[in-house]
Amino acid sequence: MEDVKNSGDIVNKREVLTLSEWRSTQIGMWAWLLQRFSALGIIVFVTLHLVYPYQVLIQTLMALCVCFHAVLGLRVIILDLSKRVTLQKVLFGLLMILGAVLLVMVLKLRIFYF
């Protein structure tokens, strides 16, 4: 009789240490990973902000993480409402620029008030 493998026995693993595997990663996956890392950053910087409330560097990094996370969240909302997934690179770039501009505006206003 022939040995037949169950489809549950097949495991596809990525070689995370090879550069070619990272180069083939799609922009949507990078955006997803960056949003998860920014969420972890928000947790860390909010905790640090509670311990050291008047540290400008901590507040600035927290604002950067929140802005980055929010912009990537807007990207997800727009992609959910749209049927055109082909615009992911353009949307990702435009929203990153928008987030950078908003962050600079917030930091400029903060400098004027403190």
Side-chain angles (χ1 to χ4, degrees):
M1 249 199 182
E2 188 177 319
D3 287 335
V4 179
K5 285 195 171 190
N6 225 350
S7 64
D9 295 336
I10 298 172
V11 177
N12 292 328
K13 291 185 180 180
R14 286 181 66 138
E15 293 291 327
V16 294
L17 299 178
T18 61
L19 193 57
S20 62
E21 284 292 325
W22 287 103
R23 286 184 183 154
S24 65
T25 304
Q26 300 292 324
I27 191 75
M29 185 62 170
W30 282 113
W32 182 83
L33 281 172
L34 291 173
Q35 190 173 23
R36 295 317 178 256
F37 286 131
S38 67
L40 293 174
I42 290 170
I43 292 170
V44 168
F45 290 122
V46 165
T47 304
L48 287 173
H49 175 68
L50 292 173
V51 175
Y52 306 107
Y54 297 109
Q55 295 295 322
V56 176
L57 179 63
I58 292 172
Q59 291 177 354
T60 304
L61 291 173
M62 183 175 63
L64 177 68
C65 282
V66 167
C67 184
F68 192 69
H69 191 78
V71 166
L72 288 173
L74 287 175
R75 176 193 158 272
V76 170
I77 291 169
I78 292 171
L79 285 176
D80 283 346
L81 296 176
S82 172
K83 292 184 180 182
R84 297 192 65 192
V85 182
T86 57
L87 297 175
Q88 278 203 34
K89 286 184 182 179
V90 174
L91 186 61
F92 184 75
L94 288 175
L95 286 173
M96 288 296 112
I97 292 169
L98 174 70
V101 168
L102 290 174
L103 180 68
V104 168
M105 288 173 53
V106 166
L107 291 177
K108 289 271 187 187
L109 286 173
R110 189 182 175 289
I111 290 170
F112 289 134
Y113 289 111
F114 288 102

